[in-house]
Amino acid sequence: MSYLVEENAAKHRFEILVDDALAGFTAYLPRGEVLVFTHTEVDDRYQGQGVGAALIKGTLDQVRARGGRVVPRCPFMAAFIERHPDYADLVVDAP
């Protein structure tokens, strides 16, 4: 399986494509350089295959690369960051 995580700014979300098919997304509310993540969804066909983790990792890597910060209101993203503390520096309180 090949993964591609890309931002869909028009829909305020990062999407993950698996073999060119939309497999999931994580939605955000933009607050300047801070993105407040509210919901993550992975298509049932891709559950339990690491797609959600790949989506969050790809999203956080892109946010970090552009100097942004996140507020993980989404429980899935919050749990991922808790399990991967090297991303904790991206977390800020809601603006």
Side-chain angles (χ1 to χ4, degrees):
M1 265 194 292
S2 65
Y3 299 119
L4 173 66
V5 175
E6 55 189 11
E7 185 173 12
N8 182 335
K11 291 187 175 181
H12 294 215
R13 67 191 198 177
F14 284 80
E15 300 172 339
I16 187 164
L17 303 175
V18 175
D19 299 329
D20 297 325
L22 180 64
F25 65 88
T26 185
Y28 64 83
L29 302 170
R31 298 288 183 263
E33 292 300 306
V34 176
L35 301 180
V36 180
F37 284 88
T38 56
H39 180 71
T40 300
E41 201 169 294
V42 173
D43 187 283
D44 290 343
R45 291 174 296 163
Y46 300 101
Q47 295 282 334
Q49 299 176 40
V51 172
L55 168 60
I56 300 301
K57 181 182 184 319
T59 296
L60 294 174
D61 288 345
Q62 290 180 47
V63 170
R64 173 175 277 147
R66 66 185 189 209
R69 295 290 180 262
V70 302
V71 177
R73 290 231 175 99
C74 164
F76 187 84
M77 178 177 277
F80 180 91
I81 292 170
E82 197 170 298
R83 286 192 315 272
H84 301 88
D86 45 318
Y87 289 107
D89 62 303
L90 297 177
V91 177
V92 294
D93 291 329

